Structure formats: C-alpha cells, structure tokens
Amino acid sequence: MAAKTGVSPLAPKEFPDLPVVEGVSFATVAAGVRYQGRDDVMLAKLAPGTRIAGVFTTSATRAAPVLDCQDKLGLVSADGAAILVNSGNANAFTGRNGLDAVATIASATAAACAVPETRVFTSSTGVIGEPLPFDRITSHLQTLSDTADAKAIKSAAMAIMTTDTFPKGACATVDTSAGEVRIVGIAKGSGMIAPDMATMLVYIFTDAVIEQDELQSLVATHNAGTFNCITVDSDTSTSDTLLVAATGASGIDVSGRSDFSDALRAVMLGLAHLVVRDGEGATKFVEIAVNGAADDEDAKTHALSIANSPLVKTAIAGEDPNWGRVVMAVGKSGAAADRDRLSIQFGDVLVAENGWVSAGYDEAAAAAHMKGENLRIAVDIGIGPGQATVWTCDLTHGYIDINADYRS
C-alpha cells in the first residue's frame, strides 16, 4: 500500500501526553497483515464491568467486523472486555470468509484475555476485498495479552494507521468533588472520510462510572455534531467504527453531569478535527459555517454541499477566493435557498451580500485569507434560524497520488 510522503503540514507538533486511564491497557505487534516492519495490530484490554457504547457506518456494504460489533453492542456484563484492531486489510466484501475470520479472531482473543467472546470487539481497516490472513493475528494474541501496558496508548494509535501521516490522540479531564475523571481517545482516518454515523476508527476510554444507556445516548448525540460533521472526500467507509469504553475504575459516577458530557464531546471533536488535518493530500483545514437556513438539517445539507464540492475544494487548494463556486454549491444542495438573500464571507471579509457581490468587497484581503492553513467560509442563507458547522480540507494532486496506487 502506498504511503504518503512526509507528515501532513496541518499535523500538530507532537502526539499529546495522554494520561493513564485505569482499567485499560494496550499492546501492539507487527503481525505482517499487510505492512512489513511496523506494528499493525492493537489490543486494548478492559477491566471487568466496563460499559461499551458505539456507533458504526451505515454503509450497505458494512465490513464483517462492523456487523459483529453491532450484534454485541449493549450486552452489559460484569466480565472484562477487549478491543482488537488490525490495519492493512479491511476484511470487507469478503463474504463468508470475513465472518469466519472475525469469529476466529474473537474466539482467540477471548481465550487469551480470559473474557467472553461476546465481549470482544474487533475492527479492521485497509484494503477492501481481500481475505484477512487472520492466522497472522491469532498467533500473537497471547503475547499481546501478556504484554499489555496502561501507558502504551501512543503505540496503539500508531498501529491502527493506514495512509495516516501521524497518530491521533486527544484527552480531557473532569474535576469533581470526589476526584478527577479522565477521558482519552485515539483515532485513525485520512481518506474515505464522509461519515454517516461516526467515521474511520475511533476508540475512546474513560475511568468514569456511567450506565450503558446514558453512555450510548451521549455518544450518539455528540457524534452528530463531531464525526458526522467532517468530510475529506465525500466517501463513506465500509468499516467506520467508534467505540467508547467506560471502565468505572475511578469510582466516580458522572450520570447526568454536563461537564462530563462536554468533556467527552471535546475529545470527540478534537479527534474529528485531527482526521481532517490528515486528509489525504491536505494543505488547508477549512471550517464551513452556515446559518440562516430553513432549519438545522437544511443548514447541514448546504454546508456539506460546499465542503464536498471538488470545485470549491480545488479553489481552496489554489488559494482562490472564488465565491461563485460557493454560490453554485448552495444552489445544487437541494435544500431551500433564496439567491437574492445569500451572503458569503471568507474569514472576516464580506464577499457577497443580498445575492450580489458586496460593495466593499476587497479581493486582496480575501486572497490573503485563503493563503492561511486554517480557513473559514461563512454563508448566511437568509431565510430562517437553521445553522450548522462542518469541517473539511482542500483537494490537491496529492489525493490522486495516494489513491491511484493505494493497493500497490
């Protein structure tokens, strides 16, 4: 599989210093699933009683691991649990072979970690349509289980990468009268990013005490405004999985706490932004804010139409403040709009208002904004209270270079 050359120019300077979350430990190994000379399998071992919530791709061609996770989600147990992830092979569009591979891996993981098979969640990411050489994974499971380390989360983040150029991590803490609650998360994702649930592969861990139903509700709610509001290339993956595990090891009950909810959302949004910043070939991180739509749903439809437009994205790559392409994207979205009420801003520069170029429009100022790495395009539809914000990146020749020889 072809790798990107160099680290994304939008990458953070370093991987964050993530705190240890009691009740979870990590191990990685170079199993040679597809890559050579790098770790490509990650195991996360979870303490007895851990609650696990999640959301998954709605693709009609969902991968076998996704289907298996969906079947197991919500089965509350006092036993421990495990998450097993491989990169390099998506185990998608592999028919009965894919289901058998998941069953074999789950059984071997359960045995190695001394947990029920119903508490083993697997994910695979990489090339679609090739049988997963699961024996290369199962032969390492006992070693993975025996060497799991609570501090090895960065290695876990690196092992799940495919075309990513940097590992992705985020964290937050919640201070309570009973002590501190910790939340940490890792993600992989770079291309095939236009979620319709969560996106990519994302694993978040907290030591909070919280019931399954409330955790699931929080994850689903925050997903809508984080992972479901990013797009790199308008393509939804067959393998998208987001799992959130609450070990309860802190002993601190966060039920009904808004500060915990806010912290969880912050971690989810931080990881979502990192995925966009590692978009294949990306050189610009772009926020698109739409207000004045008929309702929030229409606002999001307009925002995604702008974010997914190849013409808009290539103009951004070329640092061209071509507001006509934004007008086009709004018009084609299918959501309600009134041409004569439309207003557009690039950064702080008012480009168009009331359906026409602004009398005070400064092309040089707009062009200067487009030269930055972090851009903002704001659109006021002018017909209602609806609003939405999505995040995307530009479209460069680098995207073609990466994907044209992805399987070579």
Side-chain angles (χ1 to χ4, degrees), residues 233-301:
D233 49 20
S234 81
D235 288 330
T236 297
S237 171
T238 61
S239 305
D240 294 342
T241 297
L242 162 62
L243 294 176
V244 180
T247 68
S250 69
I252 300 172
D253 192 334
V254 298
S255 300
R257 292 188 64 118
S258 61
D259 51 358
F260 176 80
S261 175
D262 292 344
L264 177 60
R265 184 185 186 278
V267 170
M268 292 171 69
L269 185 61
L271 292 172
H273 283 184
L274 289 173
V275 170
V276 175
R277 290 184 176 279
D278 203 14
E280 291 173 340
T283 65
K284 310 282 187 180
F285 177 82
V286 189
E287 178 179 286
I288 297 175
V290 173
N291 60 53
D295 53 35
D296 290 352
E297 184 177 354
D298 269 15
K300 187 173 181 180
T301 298

Short mmCIF file of all heavy atoms in Angstrom, two decimals, residues 233-301:
data_model
loop_
_atom_site.label_atom_id
_atom_site.label_comp_id
_atom_site.label_asym_id
_atom_site.label_seq_id
_atom_site.Cartn_x
_atom_site.Cartn_y
_atom_site.Cartn_z
N ASP A 233 -13.48 13.58 1.47
CA ASP A 233 -13.65 13.28 0.05
C ASP A 233 -15.04 12.81 -0.33
O ASP A 233 -15.24 12.32 -1.44
CB ASP A 233 -12.63 12.21 -0.37
CG ASP A 233 -12.61 11.03 0.59
OD1 ASP A 233 -13.61 10.83 1.32
OD2 ASP A 233 -11.60 10.31 0.63
N SER A 234 -16.00 12.91 0.57
CA SER A 234 -17.41 12.56 0.36
C SER A 234 -17.66 11.06 0.31
O SER A 234 -18.77 10.63 0.01
CB SER A 234 -17.98 13.21 -0.92
OG SER A 234 -17.63 12.50 -2.10
N ASP A 235 -16.66 10.24 0.63
CA ASP A 235 -16.82 8.79 0.58
C ASP A 235 -16.92 8.19 1.98
O ASP A 235 -16.05 8.39 2.82
CB ASP A 235 -15.64 8.13 -0.16
CG ASP A 235 -15.68 8.41 -1.65
OD1 ASP A 235 -16.79 8.57 -2.18
OD2 ASP A 235 -14.62 8.46 -2.28
N THR A 236 -18.02 7.43 2.21
CA THR A 236 -18.26 6.79 3.49
C THR A 236 -17.65 5.40 3.51
O THR A 236 -17.94 4.58 2.64
CB THR A 236 -19.77 6.71 3.78
OG1 THR A 236 -20.28 8.04 3.87
CG2 THR A 236 -20.04 5.97 5.07
N SER A 237 -16.87 5.09 4.51
CA SER A 237 -16.16 3.82 4.60
C SER A 237 -17.09 2.66 4.92
O SER A 237 -18.15 2.83 5.52
CB SER A 237 -15.08 3.92 5.67
OG SER A 237 -14.50 2.66 5.94
N THR A 238 -16.64 1.46 4.55
CA THR A 238 -17.33 0.22 4.91
C THR A 238 -17.03 -0.18 6.35
O THR A 238 -17.66 -1.11 6.87
CB THR A 238 -16.87 -0.92 4.00
OG1 THR A 238 -15.45 -1.12 4.18
CG2 THR A 238 -17.14 -0.62 2.54
N SER A 239 -16.07 0.47 6.99
CA SER A 239 -15.52 -0.04 8.25
C SER A 239 -15.63 0.93 9.42
O SER A 239 -15.14 0.63 10.51
CB SER A 239 -14.05 -0.41 8.05
OG SER A 239 -13.90 -1.33 6.99
N ASP A 240 -16.25 2.09 9.22
CA ASP A 240 -16.29 3.11 10.26
C ASP A 240 -16.82 2.59 11.58
O ASP A 240 -17.91 2.03 11.66
CB ASP A 240 -17.19 4.27 9.82
CG ASP A 240 -16.64 5.03 8.62
OD1 ASP A 240 -15.45 4.88 8.34
OD2 ASP A 240 -17.41 5.75 7.98
N THR A 241 -16.04 2.80 12.63
CA THR A 241 -16.40 2.32 13.97
C THR A 241 -15.93 3.32 15.01
O THR A 241 -14.79 3.77 14.97
CB THR A 241 -15.74 0.95 14.25
OG1 THR A 241 -16.23 -0.02 13.33
CG2 THR A 241 -16.01 0.49 15.66
N LEU A 242 -16.81 3.66 15.93
CA LEU A 242 -16.47 4.47 17.09
C LEU A 242 -16.94 3.72 18.32
O LEU A 242 -18.12 3.41 18.47
CB LEU A 242 -17.17 5.83 17.03
CG LEU A 242 -17.27 6.64 18.33
CD1 LEU A 242 -15.89 7.00 18.86
CD2 LEU A 242 -18.10 7.89 18.12
N LEU A 243 -16.00 3.39 19.20
CA LEU A 243 -16.31 2.71 20.45
C LEU A 243 -15.84 3.57 21.62
O LEU A 243 -14.73 4.12 21.59
CB LEU A 243 -15.63 1.35 20.52
CG LEU A 243 -16.09 0.29 19.51
CD1 LEU A 243 -15.25 -0.97 19.64
CD2 LEU A 243 -17.57 -0.04 19.70
N VAL A 244 -16.68 3.70 22.63
CA VAL A 244 -16.34 4.42 23.85
C VAL A 244 -16.50 3.46 25.02
O VAL A 244 -17.58 2.89 25.22
CB VAL A 244 -17.23 5.66 24.05
CG1 VAL A 244 -16.85 6.38 25.34
CG2 VAL A 244 -17.12 6.60 22.85
N ALA A 245 -15.43 3.28 25.76
CA ALA A 245 -15.42 2.33 26.88
C ALA A 245 -15.25 3.07 28.21
O ALA A 245 -14.31 3.85 28.37
CB ALA A 245 -14.29 1.32 26.70
N ALA A 246 -16.18 2.82 29.14
CA ALA A 246 -16.11 3.40 30.47
C ALA A 246 -15.78 2.30 31.47
O ALA A 246 -16.61 1.43 31.75
CB ALA A 246 -17.43 4.07 30.83
N THR A 247 -14.56 2.33 32.00
CA THR A 247 -14.11 1.25 32.87
C THR A 247 -14.69 1.33 34.28
O THR A 247 -14.76 0.33 34.98
CB THR A 247 -12.58 1.24 32.99
OG1 THR A 247 -12.15 2.40 33.72
CG2 THR A 247 -11.92 1.21 31.62
N GLY A 248 -15.07 2.54 34.71
CA GLY A 248 -15.59 2.71 36.07
C GLY A 248 -14.53 2.68 37.15
O GLY A 248 -14.85 2.73 38.35
N ALA A 249 -13.25 2.63 36.75
CA ALA A 249 -12.17 2.44 37.72
C ALA A 249 -12.00 3.62 38.68
O ALA A 249 -11.45 3.46 39.77
CB ALA A 249 -10.85 2.17 37.00
N SER A 250 -12.45 4.81 38.31
CA SER A 250 -12.32 5.96 39.20
C SER A 250 -13.30 5.88 40.36
O SER A 250 -13.09 6.53 41.39
CB SER A 250 -12.57 7.26 38.43
OG SER A 250 -13.94 7.35 38.05
N GLY A 251 -14.37 5.12 40.17
CA GLY A 251 -15.41 5.05 41.19
C GLY A 251 -16.30 6.27 41.23
O GLY A 251 -17.16 6.39 42.11
N ILE A 252 -16.12 7.19 40.28
CA ILE A 252 -16.86 8.45 40.27
C ILE A 252 -18.02 8.37 39.29
O ILE A 252 -17.81 8.18 38.08
CB ILE A 252 -15.94 9.63 39.92
CG1 ILE A 252 -14.80 9.73 40.94
CG2 ILE A 252 -16.72 10.93 39.85
CD1 ILE A 252 -13.74 10.74 40.58
N ASP A 253 -19.23 8.52 39.77
CA ASP A 253 -20.43 8.44 38.95
C ASP A 253 -20.65 9.79 38.25
O ASP A 253 -20.77 10.82 38.92
CB ASP A 253 -21.63 8.09 39.81
CG ASP A 253 -22.86 7.70 38.99
OD1 ASP A 253 -22.96 8.15 37.83
OD2 ASP A 253 -23.71 6.96 39.51
N VAL A 254 -20.68 9.77 36.92
CA VAL A 254 -20.86 11.01 36.16
C VAL A 254 -22.26 11.12 35.57
O VAL A 254 -22.52 11.96 34.71
CB VAL A 254 -19.82 11.11 35.03
CG1 VAL A 254 -18.40 11.15 35.60
CG2 VAL A 254 -19.97 9.96 34.04
N SER A 255 -23.17 10.31 36.02
CA SER A 255 -24.52 10.31 35.48
C SER A 255 -25.13 11.72 35.56
O SER A 255 -25.12 12.35 36.62
CB SER A 255 -25.40 9.34 36.26
OG SER A 255 -24.90 8.02 36.17
N GLY A 256 -25.63 12.18 34.43
CA GLY A 256 -26.31 13.47 34.38
C GLY A 256 -25.40 14.68 34.46
O GLY A 256 -25.89 15.83 34.48
N ARG A 257 -24.10 14.50 34.48
CA ARG A 257 -23.18 15.62 34.62
C ARG A 257 -22.89 16.27 33.27
O ARG A 257 -22.37 15.62 32.36
CB ARG A 257 -21.86 15.18 35.27
CG ARG A 257 -22.00 14.76 36.73
CD ARG A 257 -20.60 14.54 37.31
NE ARG A 257 -19.84 15.78 37.35
CZ ARG A 257 -19.39 16.36 38.47
NH1 ARG A 257 -19.67 15.82 39.65
NH2 ARG A 257 -18.69 17.46 38.42
N SER A 258 -23.19 17.54 33.16
CA SER A 258 -22.94 18.25 31.90
C SER A 258 -21.47 18.44 31.63
O SER A 258 -21.04 18.49 30.48
CB SER A 258 -23.65 19.61 31.92
OG SER A 258 -23.15 20.43 32.97
N ASP A 259 -20.65 18.54 32.69
CA ASP A 259 -19.22 18.74 32.47
C ASP A 259 -18.58 17.48 31.87
O ASP A 259 -17.67 17.57 31.03
CB ASP A 259 -18.49 19.18 33.74
CG ASP A 259 -18.78 18.30 34.95
OD1 ASP A 259 -19.59 17.35 34.84
OD2 ASP A 259 -18.19 18.57 36.02
N PHE A 260 -19.06 16.31 32.26
CA PHE A 260 -18.55 15.09 31.64
C PHE A 260 -19.01 15.03 30.18
O PHE A 260 -18.22 14.68 29.29
CB PHE A 260 -19.03 13.85 32.38
CG PHE A 260 -18.62 12.56 31.70
CD1 PHE A 260 -17.34 12.05 31.87
CD2 PHE A 260 -19.50 11.87 30.89
CE1 PHE A 260 -16.94 10.89 31.22
CE2 PHE A 260 -19.13 10.70 30.24
CZ PHE A 260 -17.84 10.20 30.41
N SER A 261 -20.25 15.35 29.94
CA SER A 261 -20.77 15.36 28.57
C SER A 261 -19.95 16.31 27.69
O SER A 261 -19.56 15.96 26.57
CB SER A 261 -22.23 15.80 28.58
OG SER A 261 -22.74 15.94 27.27
N ASP A 262 -19.67 17.50 28.21
CA ASP A 262 -18.89 18.49 27.44
C ASP A 262 -17.47 17.99 27.18
O ASP A 262 -16.91 18.20 26.10
CB ASP A 262 -18.83 19.82 28.20
CG ASP A 262 -20.18 20.52 28.27
OD1 ASP A 262 -21.08 20.15 27.49
OD2 ASP A 262 -20.32 21.43 29.11
N ALA A 263 -16.87 17.34 28.17
CA ALA A 263 -15.50 16.84 28.01
C ALA A 263 -15.45 15.72 26.98
O ALA A 263 -14.52 15.64 26.17
CB ALA A 263 -14.97 16.35 29.35
N LEU A 264 -16.44 14.83 27.01
CA LEU A 264 -16.49 13.76 26.02
C LEU A 264 -16.64 14.34 24.62
O LEU A 264 -15.96 13.92 23.68
CB LEU A 264 -17.65 12.82 26.32
CG LEU A 264 -17.87 11.68 25.33
CD1 LEU A 264 -16.65 10.77 25.24
CD2 LEU A 264 -19.11 10.87 25.71
N ARG A 265 -17.50 15.34 24.48
CA ARG A 265 -17.67 15.97 23.17
C ARG A 265 -16.37 16.63 22.71
O ARG A 265 -16.01 16.56 21.53
CB ARG A 265 -18.78 17.02 23.20
CG ARG A 265 -19.04 17.64 21.82
CD ARG A 265 -20.07 18.77 21.85
NE ARG A 265 -20.39 19.21 20.49
CZ ARG A 265 -19.67 20.06 19.79
NH1 ARG A 265 -18.55 20.57 20.31
NH2 ARG A 265 -20.02 20.40 18.55
N ALA A 266 -15.65 17.25 23.63
CA ALA A 266 -14.39 17.91 23.27
C ALA A 266 -13.38 16.91 22.73
O ALA A 266 -12.67 17.19 21.75
CB ALA A 266 -13.83 18.65 24.47
N VAL A 267 -13.30 15.74 23.34
CA VAL A 267 -12.38 14.71 22.86
C VAL A 267 -12.82 14.23 21.48
O VAL A 267 -11.99 14.08 20.57
CB VAL A 267 -12.31 13.54 23.86
CG1 VAL A 267 -11.54 12.36 23.25
CG2 VAL A 267 -11.64 13.98 25.15
N MET A 268 -14.11 14.01 21.30
CA MET A 268 -14.61 13.55 20.01
C MET A 268 -14.35 14.59 18.91
O MET A 268 -13.91 14.25 17.81
CB MET A 268 -16.10 13.23 20.12
CG MET A 268 -16.39 12.01 20.98
SD MET A 268 -18.15 11.74 21.35
CE MET A 268 -18.78 11.26 19.73
N LEU A 269 -14.60 15.86 19.22
CA LEU A 269 -14.38 16.91 18.22
C LEU A 269 -12.89 17.07 17.92
O LEU A 269 -12.50 17.26 16.75
CB LEU A 269 -14.96 18.23 18.71
CG LEU A 269 -14.91 19.39 17.71
CD1 LEU A 269 -15.70 19.06 16.45
CD2 LEU A 269 -15.45 20.68 18.34
N GLY A 270 -12.06 16.97 18.96
CA GLY A 270 -10.62 17.07 18.73
C GLY A 270 -10.12 15.99 17.80
O GLY A 270 -9.32 16.25 16.88
N LEU A 271 -10.57 14.77 18.01
CA LEU A 271 -10.16 13.66 17.13
C LEU A 271 -10.71 13.85 15.72
O LEU A 271 -10.01 13.58 14.72
CB LEU A 271 -10.63 12.33 17.71
CG LEU A 271 -9.95 11.89 19.02
CD1 LEU A 271 -10.65 10.66 19.58
CD2 LEU A 271 -8.47 11.61 18.79
N ALA A 272 -11.95 14.31 15.61
CA ALA A 272 -12.54 14.54 14.29
C ALA A 272 -11.72 15.58 13.51
O ALA A 272 -11.45 15.41 12.31
CB ALA A 272 -13.99 15.00 14.44
N HIS A 273 -11.32 16.65 14.17
CA HIS A 273 -10.52 17.67 13.51
C HIS A 273 -9.16 17.12 13.07
O HIS A 273 -8.65 17.48 11.99
CB HIS A 273 -10.32 18.86 14.44
CG HIS A 273 -11.53 19.75 14.53
ND1 HIS A 273 -11.55 20.92 15.26
CD2 HIS A 273 -12.77 19.63 14.01
CE1 HIS A 273 -12.73 21.49 15.17
NE2 HIS A 273 -13.50 20.72 14.41
N LEU A 274 -8.57 16.25 13.89
CA LEU A 274 -7.27 15.68 13.53
C LEU A 274 -7.38 14.83 12.26
O LEU A 274 -6.45 14.80 11.44
CB LEU A 274 -6.72 14.84 14.68
CG LEU A 274 -6.24 15.61 15.90
CD1 LEU A 274 -5.88 14.65 17.03
CD2 LEU A 274 -5.05 16.50 15.55
N VAL A 275 -8.49 14.14 12.10
CA VAL A 275 -8.69 13.35 10.88
C VAL A 275 -8.71 14.26 9.65
O VAL A 275 -8.07 13.97 8.64
CB VAL A 275 -9.99 12.53 10.97
CG1 VAL A 275 -10.32 11.89 9.63
CG2 VAL A 275 -9.86 11.44 12.04
N VAL A 276 -9.42 15.37 9.75
CA VAL A 276 -9.45 16.32 8.62
C VAL A 276 -8.06 16.89 8.37
O VAL A 276 -7.63 17.06 7.21
CB VAL A 276 -10.45 17.45 8.89
CG1 VAL A 276 -10.39 18.50 7.77
CG2 VAL A 276 -11.87 16.88 8.98
N ARG A 277 -7.33 17.18 9.43
CA ARG A 277 -5.98 17.74 9.27
C ARG A 277 -5.01 16.75 8.63
O ARG A 277 -3.96 17.14 8.13
CB ARG A 277 -5.44 18.21 10.63
CG ARG A 277 -6.16 19.44 11.16
CD ARG A 277 -5.55 19.96 12.46
NE ARG A 277 -6.20 21.20 12.87
CZ ARG A 277 -5.92 22.40 12.39
NH1 ARG A 277 -4.96 22.54 11.49
NH2 ARG A 277 -6.56 23.47 12.80
N ASP A 278 -5.38 15.48 8.65
CA ASP A 278 -4.56 14.46 7.98
C ASP A 278 -5.23 13.97 6.71
O ASP A 278 -4.91 12.90 6.20
CB ASP A 278 -4.33 13.28 8.93
CG ASP A 278 -3.08 12.48 8.56
OD1 ASP A 278 -2.27 12.98 7.76
OD2 ASP A 278 -2.93 11.35 9.07
N GLY A 279 -6.19 14.74 6.20
CA GLY A 279 -6.84 14.37 4.94
C GLY A 279 -5.81 14.13 3.86
O GLY A 279 -4.80 14.84 3.76
N GLU A 280 -6.04 13.12 3.05
CA GLU A 280 -5.05 12.73 2.04
C GLU A 280 -4.73 13.90 1.10
O GLU A 280 -5.60 14.40 0.40
CB GLU A 280 -5.55 11.53 1.27
CG GLU A 280 -5.58 10.28 2.14
CD GLU A 280 -6.22 9.08 1.51
OE1 GLU A 280 -7.00 9.25 0.54
OE2 GLU A 280 -5.96 7.95 1.97
N GLY A 281 -3.49 14.33 1.13
CA GLY A 281 -3.04 15.44 0.30
C GLY A 281 -3.40 16.82 0.83
O GLY A 281 -3.14 17.83 0.16
N ALA A 282 -3.98 16.91 2.02
CA ALA A 282 -4.49 18.19 2.52
C ALA A 282 -3.39 19.19 2.84
O ALA A 282 -2.34 18.84 3.38
CB ALA A 282 -5.34 17.95 3.76
N THR A 283 -3.67 20.46 2.52
CA THR A 283 -2.80 21.56 2.92
C THR A 283 -3.58 22.66 3.63
O THR A 283 -2.98 23.61 4.13
CB THR A 283 -2.09 22.19 1.71
OG1 THR A 283 -3.05 22.79 0.83
CG2 THR A 283 -1.30 21.13 0.93
N LYS A 284 -4.91 22.54 3.66
CA LYS A 284 -5.77 23.54 4.30
C LYS A 284 -6.82 22.85 5.17
O LYS A 284 -7.43 21.87 4.76
CB LYS A 284 -6.51 24.38 3.25
CG LYS A 284 -5.66 24.98 2.14
CD LYS A 284 -4.91 26.20 2.59
CE LYS A 284 -4.19 26.87 1.39
NZ LYS A 284 -3.44 28.07 1.80
N PHE A 285 -7.02 23.39 6.37
CA PHE A 285 -8.10 22.96 7.26
C PHE A 285 -9.19 24.00 7.15
O PHE A 285 -8.95 25.20 7.37
CB PHE A 285 -7.59 22.86 8.69
CG PHE A 285 -8.65 22.49 9.69
CD1 PHE A 285 -9.02 21.16 9.88
CD2 PHE A 285 -9.28 23.47 10.46
CE1 PHE A 285 -9.99 20.82 10.81
CE2 PHE A 285 -10.26 23.13 11.39
CZ PHE A 285 -10.61 21.79 11.57
N VAL A 286 -10.40 23.58 6.82
CA VAL A 286 -11.46 24.52 6.46
C VAL A 286 -12.71 24.32 7.32
O VAL A 286 -13.26 23.22 7.37
CB VAL A 286 -11.85 24.38 4.98
CG1 VAL A 286 -12.79 25.52 4.57
CG2 VAL A 286 -10.62 24.36 4.08
N GLU A 287 -13.13 25.38 7.97
CA GLU A 287 -14.42 25.38 8.68
C GLU A 287 -15.45 26.06 7.80
O GLU A 287 -15.22 27.16 7.27
CB GLU A 287 -14.29 26.13 10.00
CG GLU A 287 -15.60 26.23 10.77
CD GLU A 287 -15.45 26.94 12.10
OE1 GLU A 287 -14.88 26.32 13.03
OE2 GLU A 287 -15.87 28.12 12.19
N ILE A 288 -16.58 25.40 7.63
CA ILE A 288 -17.67 25.96 6.84
C ILE A 288 -18.88 26.12 7.75
O ILE A 288 -19.43 25.13 8.24
CB ILE A 288 -18.00 25.07 5.63
CG1 ILE A 288 -16.78 25.01 4.71
CG2 ILE A 288 -19.23 25.60 4.88
CD1 ILE A 288 -16.92 24.07 3.54
N ALA A 289 -19.26 27.36 8.00
CA ALA A 289 -20.37 27.68 8.89
C ALA A 289 -21.54 28.23 8.10
O ALA A 289 -21.38 29.21 7.36
CB ALA A 289 -19.92 28.68 9.95
N VAL A 290 -22.67 27.61 8.23
CA VAL A 290 -23.88 28.04 7.52
C VAL A 290 -24.93 28.42 8.56
O VAL A 290 -25.19 27.67 9.50
CB VAL A 290 -24.44 26.93 6.61
CG1 VAL A 290 -25.79 27.33 6.03
CG2 VAL A 290 -23.45 26.62 5.49
N ASN A 291 -25.52 29.59 8.40
CA ASN A 291 -26.66 29.98 9.22
C ASN A 291 -27.74 30.57 8.33
O ASN A 291 -27.55 30.73 7.12
CB ASN A 291 -26.26 30.94 10.35
CG ASN A 291 -25.66 32.23 9.82
OD1 ASN A 291 -26.23 32.91 8.98
ND2 ASN A 291 -24.48 32.57 10.32
N GLY A 292 -28.89 30.86 8.94
CA GLY A 292 -29.98 31.46 8.18
C GLY A 292 -30.72 30.48 7.28
O GLY A 292 -31.51 30.90 6.42
N ALA A 293 -30.48 29.18 7.46
CA ALA A 293 -31.19 28.18 6.65
C ALA A 293 -32.59 27.95 7.23
O ALA A 293 -32.91 28.39 8.33
CB ALA A 293 -30.41 26.88 6.62
N ALA A 294 -33.42 27.23 6.48
CA ALA A 294 -34.78 26.97 6.92
C ALA A 294 -34.80 26.25 8.26
O ALA A 294 -35.62 26.52 9.13
CB ALA A 294 -35.54 26.18 5.87
N ASP A 295 -33.87 25.30 8.45
CA ASP A 295 -33.71 24.60 9.72
C ASP A 295 -32.29 24.04 9.77
O ASP A 295 -31.52 24.19 8.81
CB ASP A 295 -34.76 23.49 9.88
CG ASP A 295 -34.81 22.53 8.70
OD1 ASP A 295 -33.74 22.25 8.11
OD2 ASP A 295 -35.90 22.05 8.38
N ASP A 296 -31.95 23.40 10.90
CA ASP A 296 -30.59 22.90 11.06
C ASP A 296 -30.24 21.83 10.03
O ASP A 296 -29.09 21.75 9.57
CB ASP A 296 -30.41 22.33 12.47
CG ASP A 296 -30.40 23.41 13.55
OD1 ASP A 296 -30.38 24.61 13.19
OD2 ASP A 296 -30.43 23.05 14.74
N GLU A 297 -31.20 21.00 9.69
CA GLU A 297 -30.94 19.95 8.70
C GLU A 297 -30.59 20.54 7.35
O GLU A 297 -29.65 20.10 6.68
CB GLU A 297 -32.16 19.04 8.58
CG GLU A 297 -31.95 17.85 7.65
CD GLU A 297 -33.13 16.92 7.58
OE1 GLU A 297 -34.09 17.11 8.37
OE2 GLU A 297 -33.11 15.98 6.76
N ASP A 298 -31.34 21.57 6.93
CA ASP A 298 -31.01 22.24 5.67
C ASP A 298 -29.65 22.91 5.74
O ASP A 298 -28.88 22.92 4.76
CB ASP A 298 -32.08 23.28 5.33
CG ASP A 298 -33.21 22.71 4.49
OD1 ASP A 298 -33.33 21.47 4.40
OD2 ASP A 298 -33.99 23.51 3.92
N ALA A 299 -29.33 23.49 6.90
CA ALA A 299 -28.03 24.15 7.05
C ALA A 299 -26.90 23.16 6.86
O ALA A 299 -25.90 23.44 6.16
CB ALA A 299 -27.94 24.81 8.43
N LYS A 300 -27.05 21.97 7.43
CA LYS A 300 -26.01 20.95 7.28
C LYS A 300 -25.93 20.47 5.83
O LYS A 300 -24.83 20.21 5.31
CB LYS A 300 -26.28 19.78 8.22
CG LYS A 300 -25.16 18.75 8.23
CD LYS A 300 -25.38 17.69 9.29
CE LYS A 300 -24.25 16.68 9.31
NZ LYS A 300 -24.47 15.62 10.34
N THR A 301 -27.07 20.36 5.17
CA THR A 301 -27.08 19.95 3.77
C THR A 301 -26.30 20.95 2.92
O THR A 301 -25.48 20.58 2.08
CB THR A 301 -28.52 19.83 3.25
OG1 THR A 301 -29.20 18.82 3.97
CG2 THR A 301 -28.54 19.49 1.77
#
